[in-house]
Amino acid sequence: MNASILHFISPPIPYFVDCGHASYDIGDYHIDRNCIGVFDLIVVIKGSLPVSENGGCWQLNAGEWIILLPDGHHYGFAPCTVQTEIIWIHFQTFGSWQECADMKDCLHQQQALMAEHKNKAYLNHSDLCSIFIPKHMKISTKAMEQLELFFKQEAEPKSMRNWRRQAIFQSFLQQLDRDLAEPSDITAFHLAEQIELYIRNHYMDDITNTVLQKALNYHPNYLAKNMFKVFGMTPMAYLQHYRIEQSKRLLLLTSWPVARIAEEVGFHHLSHYSSCFSKKEGITPSAFRSKFAKTN
């Protein structure tokens, strides 16, 4: 698959705006519009739809979908040659996102995008994750089942309908994110999640590559390869990242001395903790506390 990938940072998770059906007769063009302000996900149910975005062209056949960008120029580059029916979903996000050439590019840009997101979404202290969605792909059976649920909510009262559609949309995005993975990547995702969970549960302990090897029964090189593939960092890099994130919470929520906080999150030496914190955040732990925590 050579399609580009849309990389979203969450939370907040991209949110559902609206959905509907559209049909095209032979000779009809996809509507010409520019900078519509929302992502436009189009799924072709029947026929074939020629569609362009900023000069790129796709001939979408039944069972295929594409996501058009909120700041792009969308139009039909040719008329429909057969009767065509589509489902469309509009969604948007308050967070940071970017279109990347491939997964390698996504992971290379991940840390920079997360740093941008923290400022843009006012989530300086949130535990962030990535959502990867291909721009163009054939829709899976499971994703289609989720999609059909959007239109089964029409009989519900508006308040209930809106809540349920948001929940369905989150499940739909999760399915698209999973569908992106090649069959050979499924093991990598599962193993990376095991590593991440182990680190979260034991970050205050002495975790080394040897400890992870014994706990998960895989060679450290294999663990690092799969963790980097999914999280864009090695297990040891993620451990340090997670410890610093936990220390930021303690700096804001407690009055504990910085030395105690360093020890609580797994750092044995205050100087090492301060150095790692400053390198990641650009300020010392004490300066971070003074900047964000209220003082009496």
Side-chain angles (χ1 to χ4, degrees):
M1 182 184 64
N2 297 319
S4 59
I5 297 172
L6 296 176
H7 182 185
F8 297 91
I9 304 298
S10 173
I13 294 173
Y15 57 91
F16 170 81
V17 176
D18 199 5
C19 64
H21 292 83
S23 61
Y24 300 82
D25 293 327
I26 296 173
D28 287 349
Y29 284 79
H30 180 60
I31 188 170
D32 189 324
R33 52 192 178 180
N34 191 45
C35 297
I36 64 174
V38 291
F39 291 91
D40 187 9
L41 189 150
I42 297 172
V43 184
V44 177
I45 305 302
K46 173 185 175 183
S48 184
L49 181 68
V51 63
S52 292
E53 178 185 69
N54 300 332
C57 299
W58 295 265
Q59 186 73 41
L60 301 178
N61 296 314
E64 294 181 350
W65 58 270
I66 192 169
I67 298 177
L68 302 178
L69 305 182
D71 55 355
H73 179 205
H74 314 156
Y75 55 97
F77 66 86
C80 292
T81 57
V82 293
Q83 186 75 26
T84 300
E85 297 177 5
I86 69 167
I87 289 174
W88 55 267
I89 292 179
H90 289 168
F91 68 95
Q92 190 50 282
T93 181
F94 286 111
S96 292
W97 64 274
Q98 65 181 182
E99 185 174 3
C100 299
D102 50 32
M103 185 59 75
K104 183 178 180 180
D105 188 27
C106 286
L107 295 178
H108 179 71
Q109 302 288 339
Q110 188 176 46
Q111 294 306 308
L113 192 63
M114 284 185 170
E116 174 193 295
H117 178 86
K118 287 186 176 182
N119 292 324
K120 182 177 180 179
Y122 306 104
L123 293 169
N124 293 288
H125 324 304
S126 180
D127 188 18
L128 304 178
C129 68
S130 291
I131 299 172
F132 303 111
I133 302 177
K135 183 177 183 69
H136 170 225
M137 195 175 181
K138 194 169 183 65
I139 194 163
S140 68
T141 300
K142 289 184 178 180
M144 192 65 205
E145 290 173 354
Q146 292 285 340
L147 191 61
E148 291 170 350
L149 290 176
F150 282 102
F151 302 98
K152 291 183 178 180
Q153 308 307 313
E154 290 299 329
E156 296 288 343
K158 183 178 180 180
S159 58
M160 185 63 70
R161 179 171 69 244
N162 289 342
W163 277 105
R164 289 182 176 175
R165 278 181 167 170
Q166 292 295 339
I168 294 168
F169 184 66
Q170 291 187 20
S171 297
F172 179 62
L173 285 185
Q174 184 180 43
Q175 187 61 51
L176 296 185
D177 179 85
R178 292 295 183 180
D179 288 344
L180 174 62
E182 299 287 343
S184 60
D185 288 341
I186 298 300
T187 299
F189 277 94
H190 289 328
L191 183 55
E193 287 178 346
Q194 289 181 51
I195 298 168
E196 189 255 359
L197 184 60
Y198 184 89
I199 289 173
R200 283 173 172 267
N201 290 333
H202 301 88
Y203 70 93
M204 293 180 287
D205 303 331
D206 288 329
I207 299 179
T208 64
N209 285 320
T210 302
V211 169
L212 289 176
Q213 181 180 14
K214 291 180 179 179
L216 301 173
N217 201 28
Y218 286 101
H219 191 278
N221 290 345
Y222 186 69
L223 294 174
K225 177 183 177 181
N226 287 282
M227 187 71 173
F228 190 86
K229 190 172 190 178
V230 178
F231 286 88
M233 61 182 79
T234 64
M236 292 301 101
Y238 183 82
L239 172 62
Q240 180 174 292
H241 161 80
Y242 191 73
R243 282 173 168 169
I244 290 175
E245 289 302 308
Q246 295 309 301
S247 76
K248 286 160 65 176
R249 290 183 169 88
L250 294 177
L251 286 167
L252 298 180
L253 298 176
T254 74
S255 58
W256 293 349
V258 173
R260 179 182 175 182
I261 290 175
E263 184 178 354
E264 287 286 335
V265 299
F267 285 93
H268 294 302
H269 302 287
L270 175 59
S271 59
H272 183 219
Y273 165 64
S274 297
S275 175
C276 292
F277 190 100
S278 299
K279 185 176 181 180
K280 182 176 184 294
E281 300 297 326
I283 56 176
T284 65
S286 297
F288 177 89
R289 170 178 272 170
S290 297
K291 180 178 179 180
F292 293 106
K294 288 184 177 180
T295 56
N296 294 328

